[in-house]
Amino acid sequence: MNPKILVVEDERSIRNFISTILTANSFDVLEAHNGQDAYSMITSHCPDLVVLDLGLPDMDGMKIIKQVRAWSSLPIVVVSARVHERDKVEALDAGADDYMTKPFGTSELLARLRTALRHTHVGVPGTEERGVFRAGGLSVDFDKRRVLVDGEDTHLTLNEYRIVAFLGRFAGKVLTYDTIMREVWGPSAGGNNQILRVNMANIRRKLEKNPAAPEYIFTEVGVGYRMREAD
Amino acid sequence: MNPKILVVEDERSIRNFISTILTANSFDVLEAHNGQDAYSMITSHCPDLVVLDLGLPDMDGMKIIKQVRAWSSLPIVVVSARVHERDKVEALDAGADDYMTKPFGTSELLARLRTALRHTHVGVPGTEERGVFRAGGLSVDFDKRRVLVDGEDTHLTLNEYRIVAFLGRFAGKVLTYDTIMREVWGPSAGGNNQILRVNMANIRRKLEKNPAAPEYIFTEVGVGYRMREAD
DNA sequence: GTAATTCTGAACGATTTCTTAACGCAAATC
DNA sequence: GATTTGCGTTAAGAAATCGTTCAGAATTAC
């Protein structure tokens, strides 16, 4: 599965140039030559990264960045002829992940794309709240907001579900008590984990066959909880 | 809570320049003027971001990037006088998050730091992290906070894990008893290493096939402990 | 307004982890 | 060869952490 990259650039020669480089380095390439097409292709084709020229005929590239950032953290690498510092700052603060000024070397472009792509893989075993998490007889359906054990629906309360979903998103990782507290009870929560312990007891009574010997959610004493890894 | 930024730069004038800018923009600033200090400050002070000059007197900046990337995804922004494309590619592929060539504008520096910091706060709950330390059948997964021997999970306690992780970060180097004591039991600890010896015995019972002839963690009599180097 | 559900804090027991102390052994020193 | 020093090992008590229950408060549903 090669990364899918959308190249947004109005000048055909440059667009072809970039596309050729990317294809030669085993990326899958999509092309757009104006802002309208670019945005609709982002929403419909879900590229892994966007190479964006700021100077487009129909709309400002800045507008695209802002529109995308309203709902997605999709990596955006700006490629622009504008060398002014003000332009760079504006684009980066709007949410661009990198800013290269023309002309640029091909190997630097590739390196910066790799860097931008790396960021998405950093914290993302399953960062998105979509799809279904499965581990043994347990399955967490993020879309339907339901947790099943051996096909049976477990009737979790709001907070109980939040805890399980959070652990499921980062299955395999230890999440500290404070992290979970802040995620579920807000940023100011922390210090006293009593509530979390009570909730965990209730969760285990519903999920585990034998709550004293958990099969899905494990305790790391002094640290936090850990969800069993996905199958 | 201001972001804590470590500035690694040997030339005092530039270091002061950057620090002043950062302080004026409400960052907390730490400074290091060589590679040795830089790396130990990273491990002990846990900054939120590192601004790194590649040309250091005692060691190459590249080495720092690689060392840190072995266990952490802490953002690193390289600031260098080297304008060669090859240098940029090398640094970025080693794990740097951005590369700026001197001279640079202050507002662009700030914008790129904000961008780099933004990446850490996207999705990832706990803290920084990434990477797995491997040496023979031993692997320390900093990300998941887990230690495996031949694929088997070893159930380490809080302090036991801290010791192993600390040794793993400095694999190949001898860490004195006092250093480890202070790292695990706080700055005021030291003097009596009894606790450390007990912990090491327990660790070895869990990690080593034959605790009397260790394969991973070695004792340097009169000095401290040393983790076997990574593969 | 009542009933049901969910949330929260306190109490308590059980388990895990931490710490201290004592002892054994090997290497170094006298 | 005896003594000292440094480290590993074991065991047991102390301390901290965690799971569980329960009752009352808050919220939601009817």
Side-chain angles (χ1 to χ4, degrees), chain A residues 76-109:
Chain A
I76 300 176
V77 174
V78 169
V79 164
S80 171
R82 305 179 195 169
V83 294
H84 232 278
E85 200 172 349
R86 196 186 54 240
D87 294 314
K88 298 183 188 178
V89 173
E90 200 183 349
L92 290 169
D93 279 342
D97 294 278
D98 207 339
Y99 190 108
M100 302 184 69
T101 50
K102 301 177 190 173
F104 48 81
T106 60
S107 56
E108 181 179 351
L109 172 66

Side-chain angles (χ1 to χ4, degrees), chain B:
Chain B
M1 275 273 283
N2 298 330
K4 210 188 314 173
I5 299 194
L6 173 65
V7 178
V8 185
E9 166 70 61
D10 57 327
E11 265 190 65
R12 170 178 291 187
S13 60
I14 302 181
R15 196 171 65 234
N16 285 345
F17 172 65
I18 296 177
S19 295
T20 307
I21 294 168
L22 297 183
T23 307
N25 285 273
S26 60
F27 290 106
D28 290 344
V29 178
L30 299 169
E31 296 187 352
H33 54 275
N34 63 53
Q36 279 289 339
D37 291 358
Y39 191 67
S40 63
M41 287 185 82
I42 289 171
T43 56
S44 59
H45 289 79
C46 293
D48 298 302
L49 185 148
V50 177
V51 175
L52 177 68
D53 180 24
L54 283 189
L56 295 173
D58 60 334
M59 68 196 285
D60 188 17
M62 289 295 303
K63 198 173 172 189
I64 296 184
I65 298 178
K66 288 172 186 165
Q67 278 188 6
V68 172
R69 277 293 171 270
W71 58 275
S72 170
S73 64
L74 162 72
I76 300 176
V77 174
V78 170
V79 164
S80 172
R82 305 178 193 170
V83 294
H84 239 278
E85 198 172 349
R86 197 185 53 240
D87 294 313
K88 298 184 189 178
V89 173
E90 201 182 349
L92 290 170
D93 279 342
D97 294 279
D98 208 339
Y99 191 108
M100 301 183 70
T101 51
K102 302 176 190 174
F104 48 80
T106 60
S107 56
E108 181 179 352
L109 172 65
L110 291 168
R112 287 192 181 270
L113 295 189
R114 283 192 292 270
T115 301
L117 284 169
R118 199 168 53 216
H119 284 138
T120 62
H121 298 307
V122 173
V124 184
T127 42
E128 84 285 359
E129 276 140 336
R130 186 180 56 165
V132 180
F133 168 81
R134 274 182 236 277
L138 177 76
S139 61
V140 182
D141 192 324
F142 298 102
D143 191 12
K144 294 177 179 165
R145 195 198 168 282
R146 208 191 290 195
V147 176
L148 305 178
V149 174
D150 300 329
E152 292 278 314
D153 190 3
T154 61
H155 181 62
L156 297 190
T157 72
L158 179 61
N159 288 344
E160 287 165 10
Y161 175 80
R162 284 201 192 127
I163 295 170
V164 173
F166 190 46
L167 286 168
R169 275 191 238 164
F170 292 93
K173 289 186 177 172
V174 179
L175 299 181
T176 67
Y177 300 117
D178 275 5
T179 304
I180 301 173
M181 290 291 295
R182 274 195 291 275
E183 169 74 12
V184 177
W185 282 273
S188 61
N192 189 357
N193 304 328
Q194 186 62 26
I195 304 174
L196 181 53
R197 290 210 303 276
V198 173
N199 272 271
M200 186 53 68
N202 292 330
I203 289 171
R204 281 177 173 151
R205 180 150 17 101
K206 295 175 181 177
L207 297 190
E208 308 279 3
K209 289 175 185 65
N210 177 16
E215 192 181 347
Y216 303 117
I217 299 177
F218 308 103
T219 300
E220 299 288 333
V221 180
V223 188
Y225 295 105
R226 176 171 54 88
M227 170 74 76
R228 169 176 159 183
E229 289 197 58
D231 295 331

Side-chain angles (χ1 to χ4, degrees), chain A residues 3-19:
Chain A
K4 209 188 313 172
I5 299 194
L6 173 64
V7 178
V8 185
E9 167 69 61
D10 57 327
E11 264 191 63
R12 169 179 289 189
S13 60
I14 302 180
R15 195 171 66 234
N16 285 345
F17 173 65
I18 296 177
S19 294

Side-chain angles (χ1 to χ4, degrees), chain A residues 62-74:
Chain A
M62 288 296 303
K63 199 172 172 188
I64 296 183
I65 298 177
K66 288 171 186 164
Q67 278 187 7
V68 172
R69 278 292 170 272
W71 57 273
S72 169
S73 60
L74 163 70

Side-chain angles (χ1 to χ4, degrees), chain A residues 177 204 219 222 225:
Chain A
Y177 299 116
R204 280 179 173 149
T219 299
Y225 294 105

